[in-house]
Amino acid sequence: MIRNGHGVVGGAERPGPGGRPAVRVWCDGCYDMVHYGHSNQLRQARAMGDYLIVGVHTDEEISKHKGPPVFTQEERYKMVQAIKWVDEVVPAAPYVTTLETLDKYNCNFCVHGNDITLTVDGRDTYEEVKQAGRYRECKRTQGVSTTDLVGRMLLVTKAHHSSQEMFSEYREYADSFGKCPRGRNPWTGVSQFLQTSQKIIQFASGKEPQPGETIIYVAGAFDLFHIGHVDFLEKVHGLAERPYVIAGLHFDQEVNHYKGKNYPIMNLHERTLSVLACRYVSEVVIGAPYAVTAELLDHFKEPKRRGIFCQIDSGSDLTTDLIVQRIIKNRLEYEARNQKKEAKELAFLEARRQQEAQPEGASQGAF
C-alpha cells in the first residue's frame, strides 16, 4: 500500500515559514490528457514556493498554436483542479506568459519544464519572463507525453507497456510517430516509462488513517486517468466528513483480460502515479485483485456482508473507450499537430544555433 495526502481546492493561502510572505508560483499550459508527467511538473513547481496557481489555455488558443486538443477546456480545468499540489486554477490563461500575467496574480515567478513551448510563429512563449529573471525550470518527466499516449491509443497491440514484448509493428510506429524525420527530437520522441521507488515516494505522503476517519475502498483500472475517474473519486470522497480513500489498481494482465484490445493504455506503475496525484485519494493498493478475495474482505471488515457496500454514479459518461474513439476519429488532425510541433521546434533550434554561432558583439535578433 502507498499512502497519499489530499487537500482542498481553493484552500486559504498560508504565510511562508517564519511568517514571511508566501511565495506564489505560476504554471501554465494546455494540460491536455493530464498525466503523471503534468502532475510531476506541478509537484516540482509547488515545492519551489508556498502557493501554486495554474493557468490553463482555452481550446481556441491551443488550436491556434498547436492543433486541436483531445479534451475540452472545461474537462481540462477540472482535471488540473484535482491535482493535489494545485492551490488555484486560472481558466483561459494567455498562451504567451507575460510579466503582466505574473503581476496580475501576484506571482513571484513562473515554472516550466525543460522542453520548448512555441507560439504559432515559432517564438518562445516564456521569452519575456526569462529575460526579466522571473522564470524557473523543472525537470521533464521522461517516458510520457501526450504524443506518446496518442500513439499508444492508435495501436491495436498490448506491447506499449512491455519492453520485453515490443512487437515490430509498435517499434516501427514508436520510432516514427513522435520524432522528426531524422529521429533526433528530444522533446517529442516516444520513450518507455521506467518506474523507481523514488518516483512513488515523491508522489505519496505516507499518512496513516487517523482516529475518526472513515476508510473507503474503491478499485478499478483507472486507465488514462480522466475526468470520469475524478468525478467518481470526488463523490466517493464526499461520502464522509473525514474520508480516507483507498484506491485499488488491477494488474495489467487482469485489465487486459476483462477489457481486451490494447488495454490498459498505461501500465500499472503509470496508473499508480496518476491516481496518487489525485487530491481525493489517500492510499493506493498496487495490484489489487479484480475479484474481492476473502482475505481482502477480512482486511476491510467484510464491507458487502456487513451491508456497507454501495455503488456510486460519477455523473460522467466519459470512459477510456470514448477517449480512444476521440483519438481515432481525429487521427489525421493529431498526426498533423505533431508534425507542426516538430517543424516549429526544429526551426527554433536552428535559429538559436545560428544566433549562438554569431561572432561576439554581432547583432542579436529576437527569435
Side-chain angles (χ1 to χ4, degrees):
M1 294 185 179
I2 295 178
R3 295 182 173 85
N4 195 22
H6 50 73
V8 178
V9 177
E13 181 177 353
R14 298 176 181 178
R20 62 163 173 74
V23 174
R24 294 167 64 88
V25 181
W26 172 270
C27 280
D28 55 30
C30 304
Y31 299 102
D32 195 17
M33 292 186 62
V34 172
H35 50 69
Y36 61 91
H38 294 124
S39 299
N40 195 36
Q41 178 220 7
L42 298 176
R43 178 191 66 80
Q44 294 178 76
R46 182 63 172 75
M48 296 182 190
D50 306 301
Y51 192 83
L52 177 61
I53 302 175
V54 182
V56 183
H57 309 319
T58 62
D59 297 341
E60 182 181 4
E61 283 284 273
I62 297 172
S63 297
K64 174 184 175 182
H65 294 281
K66 293 182 66 175
V70 178
F71 289 96
T72 68
Q73 58 199 45
E74 295 301 326
E75 290 170 334
R76 292 183 288 107
Y77 297 156
K78 190 161 188 177
M79 284 299 297
V80 174
Q81 284 180 335
I83 297 174
K84 66 181 180 180
W85 296 286
V86 176
D87 294 297
E88 185 178 333
V89 172
V90 175
Y95 198 81
V96 176
T97 308
T98 63
L99 295 174
E100 180 182 0
T101 297
L102 296 189
D103 291 341
K104 179 179 179 179
Y105 295 99
N106 299 315
C107 291
N108 300 74
F109 53 84
C110 75
V111 177
H112 186 67
N114 55 343
D115 54 345
I116 300 173
T117 303
L118 305 173
T119 63
V120 66
D121 56 358
R123 294 177 64 88
D124 183 351
T125 59
Y126 296 98
E127 181 179 344
E128 182 176 317
V129 292
K130 284 179 179 178
Q131 292 178 351
R134 293 173 69 180
Y135 176 85
R136 304 288 187 275
E137 200 165 82
C138 63
K139 292 183 179 179
R140 182 183 179 278
T141 305
Q142 296 298 317
V144 65
S145 68
T146 300
T147 299
D148 180 24
L149 294 178
V150 169
R152 298 184 199 183
M153 283 183 275
L154 291 174
L155 288 170
V156 186
T157 174
K158 294 181 287 185
H160 53 269
H161 53 65
S162 174
S163 59
Q164 296 178 345
E165 300 176 4
M166 185 175 288
F167 305 123
S168 58
E169 175 194 9
Y170 178 74
R171 190 180 299 279
E172 180 181 354
Y173 193 75
D175 284 344
S176 62
F177 180 81
K179 299 180 181 178
C180 65
R182 290 174 292 176
R184 296 177 181 171
N185 192 327
W187 290 278
T188 58
V190 174
S191 57
Q192 295 297 302
F193 172 71
L194 297 176
Q195 178 67 294
T196 65
S197 59
Q198 183 61 30
K199 285 188 175 72
I200 293 179
I201 291 170
Q202 289 172 340
F203 273 57
S205 69
K207 292 182 178 179
E208 297 271 358
Q210 299 301 307
E213 290 186 329
T214 301
I215 299 176
I216 307 172
Y217 177 75
V218 299
F222 294 102
D223 195 16
L224 283 180
F225 195 73
H226 54 71
I227 193 67
H229 298 133
V230 168
D231 286 340
F232 168 69
L233 291 169
E234 183 180 14
K235 287 194 173 184
V236 169
H237 190 266
L239 290 175
E241 184 176 347
R242 296 180 59 196
Y244 187 91
V245 179
I246 301 172
L249 276 73
H250 305 318
F251 283 117
D252 297 336
Q253 295 87 341
E254 278 190 302
V255 176
N256 185 254
H257 178 72
Y258 67 79
K259 289 282 289 182
K261 298 180 182 178
N262 61 328
Y263 297 113
I265 302 299
M266 303 179 82
N267 68 34
L268 176 60
H269 294 146
E270 294 176 306
R271 292 183 282 119
T272 296
L273 293 184
S274 296
V275 176
L276 278 173
C278 180
R279 67 174 67 249
Y280 305 118
V281 175
S282 304
E283 184 173 292
V284 165
V285 178
I286 301 176
Y290 180 66
V292 179
T293 63
E295 290 79 12
L296 192 63
L297 283 172
D298 183 63
H299 181 76
F300 293 114
K301 304 187 186 301
E302 305 187 51
K304 197 165 187 177
R305 297 179 192 177
R306 290 165 60 94
I308 55 175
F309 172 86
C310 66
Q311 291 181 311
I312 300 295
D313 181 0
S314 71
S316 172
D317 60 359
L318 187 63
T319 64
T320 303
D321 284 327
L322 290 177
I323 296 171
V324 173
Q325 289 174 25
R326 289 187 190 184
I327 298 296
I328 293 175
K329 181 180 178 181
N330 300 292
R331 173 173 185 158
L332 294 179
E333 291 185 15
Y334 293 123
E335 289 182 341
R337 180 178 79 171
N338 190 56
Q339 292 169 0
K340 179 180 177 182
K341 179 180 180 181
E342 291 167 354
K344 285 195 299 183
E345 290 178 355
L346 285 173
F348 180 89
L349 292 171
E350 178 61 22
R352 186 164 67 182
R353 186 192 66 78
Q354 292 180 3
Q355 185 184 53
E356 291 173 349
Q358 290 182 8
E360 188 174 350
S363 175
Q364 299 285 311
F367 57 86

